Amino acid sequence: MIKSMTGFGRGQYTDEIKTVTVEIKAVNHRYCDIYVKMPRKYAFAEEAIKAEIKKNLSRGKIEVGVNVDVFGASDTDVRLDKELAKKYYNALKELDREFGFAAVNGLSLSLLAKMPDVIKTAPAEEDEEAMLRALLDATSKAADDICSMREVEGAKLAADLEMRADIIDDIRARISERAPEIEAEYAAKLKTRIEELLDGTVEMPQDRIALEAAIFADKANITEELIRLESHISQLRAFLKTENEAIGKKIDFLIQEMNREANTIGSKSNDKEITSMVLDLKAEIEKIREQVQNIE
């Protein structure tokens, strides 16, 4: 099944204390390039998130946004250093004994609490396994969502490519019909030209005319190119029906081969009608090449 490389997907995981939201955006890219943007405290899950995405997406520039809302409990711990507080208290008591500023019992709790590092805040310890499961659950849902969107866009691309494959095949058939007529027309033109030059004074060398026509026909023969082009068209149609495989690169290579055959046909045929048809052929191939850049 053809898949587009562009799309957007969103997935969410919710439990009694948190909601994890993952959004995936993808655009065209030659390779699979994944960038994850999320809070640093969840960096431990980055490679697992990338691996989960690669199960479904094999090409594209992919941006992943992760947001975690904690509502059932605070994600910050308050830590009291009792031993340090005792040291401050003893130090203040020593100052009182030495200088007699105030009674020790008069020391305020607020003063002691303001001493450096007595009370500190720190991120709450995370249950990494539980958080990883939540992140991967939301990521999986987002990946499924973007895949659905890519498949819808891919179906439209496949329909367009099928139509253009039919157009190319029709042009190929018309070139095939025209090709055998070129030799006869060349022989007739050559005969007319010789008659004009000899002006009836010398008998026309029929065998020589036949030989020249045969040589021209051999040089202008495009049978092999037309057969290969027909084969490429069949391969393109087969690729469009391929299931569960990223075939963008294969089609891109196939289009290059089709364009090469078209160029060869145009250079060998030496015929205005075929040249005109080749221009139409190359225009359709170029349209396919542009569309293929959007295929995974």
Side-chain angles (χ1 to χ4, degrees):
M1 178 181 293
I2 292 288
K3 293 181 181 178
S4 169
M5 273 195 284
T6 59
F8 173 82
R10 190 171 187 270
Q12 197 169 75
Y13 168 89
T14 301
D15 59 24
E16 63 276 6
I17 63 171
K18 64 183 175 295
T19 294
V20 179
T21 304
V22 175
E23 293 182 344
I24 303 176
K25 301 176 185 177
V27 295
N28 301 352
H29 196 273
R30 188 174 182 181
Y31 304 107
C32 183
D33 183 14
I34 303 175
Y35 172 72
V36 181
K37 183 179 180 181
M38 62 182 177
R40 291 182 61 184
K41 64 183 297 184
Y42 306 121
F44 65 86
E46 181 172 345
E47 292 305 315
I49 288 173
K50 288 182 178 180
E52 184 67 27
I53 291 171
K54 286 181 179 179
K55 291 179 182 178
N56 294 287
L57 310 180
S58 59
R59 286 182 74 196
K61 184 175 182 180
I62 302 164
E63 295 183 5
V64 184
V66 178
N67 184 63
V68 179
D69 290 322
V70 178
F71 48 82
S74 174
D75 61 353
T76 301
D77 283 340
V78 177
R79 298 175 183 175
L80 171 64
D81 191 333
K82 294 181 180 179
E83 292 301 318
L84 182 61
K86 287 178 182 179
K87 291 179 181 179
Y88 278 126
Y89 179 82
N90 291 332
L92 291 170
K93 194 165 67 170
E94 181 67 26
L95 286 173
D96 179 64
R97 283 197 299 266
E98 183 70 25
F99 300 106
F101 286 123
V104 173
N105 290 336
L107 291 174
S108 68
L109 184 62
S110 62
L111 175 62
L112 196 59
K114 290 177 182 178
M115 292 295 103
D117 298 328
V118 171
I119 297 177
K120 295 189 292 185
T121 60
E125 290 187 7
E126 192 75 55
D127 184 344
E128 291 191 358
E129 291 187 6
M131 179 54 71
L132 181 59
R133 288 194 295 270
L135 288 167
L136 292 182
D137 182 89
T139 300
S140 178
K141 292 174 182 176
D144 289 342
D145 193 29
I146 192 174
C147 278
S148 297
M149 184 175 181
R150 280 180 151 197
E151 288 174 3
V152 171
E153 293 299 317
K156 295 177 182 178
L157 286 172
D160 183 77
L161 295 181
E162 283 276 10
M163 176 194 71
R164 301 201 181 283
D166 291 341
I167 293 174
I168 290 173
D169 200 24
D170 179 66
I171 296 173
R172 179 205 59 78
R174 288 190 284 120
I175 292 175
S176 296
E177 292 176 3
R178 172 63 183 161
E181 300 173 1
I182 299 176
E183 181 181 354
E185 290 182 5
Y186 177 78
K189 289 178 181 178
L190 183 61
K191 181 178 179 180
T192 300
R193 181 60 176 158
I194 292 174
E195 287 176 346
E196 292 174 353
L197 292 173
L198 297 179
D199 196 21
T201 58
V202 180
E203 185 178 351
M204 190 182 309
Q206 298 295 330
D207 57 340
R208 183 61 181 173
I209 292 175
L211 178 60
E212 289 294 333
I215 293 173
F216 171 81
D218 184 61
K219 291 181 178 179
N221 189 291
I222 54 175
T223 302
E224 290 185 11
E225 288 75 16
L226 290 170
I227 290 174
R228 284 196 292 268
L229 181 58
E230 184 177 20
S231 174
H232 295 334
I233 294 169
S234 296
Q235 284 183 285
L236 174 59
R237 287 169 170 155
F239 282 149
L240 296 178
K241 294 178 174 61
T242 300
E243 294 288 339
N244 301 321
E245 183 181 354
I247 44 82
K249 289 182 179 179
K250 292 182 179 180
I251 296 181
D252 189 41
F253 175 77
L254 187 61
I255 295 307
Q256 294 179 40
E257 294 301 304
M258 292 173 70
N259 194 57
R260 184 177 290 111
E261 302 302 341
N263 286 332
T264 305
I265 291 171
S267 63
K268 289 177 68 174
S269 64
N270 196 25
D271 177 71
K272 289 183 179 179
E273 288 187 38
I274 289 183
T275 298
S276 177
M277 287 187 279
V278 166
L279 291 176
D280 293 338
L281 181 64
K282 286 174 65 65
E284 292 301 323
I285 292 173
E286 177 61 21
K287 290 174 183 177
I288 291 179
R289 190 195 67 79
E290 292 174 356
Q291 292 284 49
V292 168
Q293 306 312 307
N294 298 318
I295 295 177
E296 183 179 15

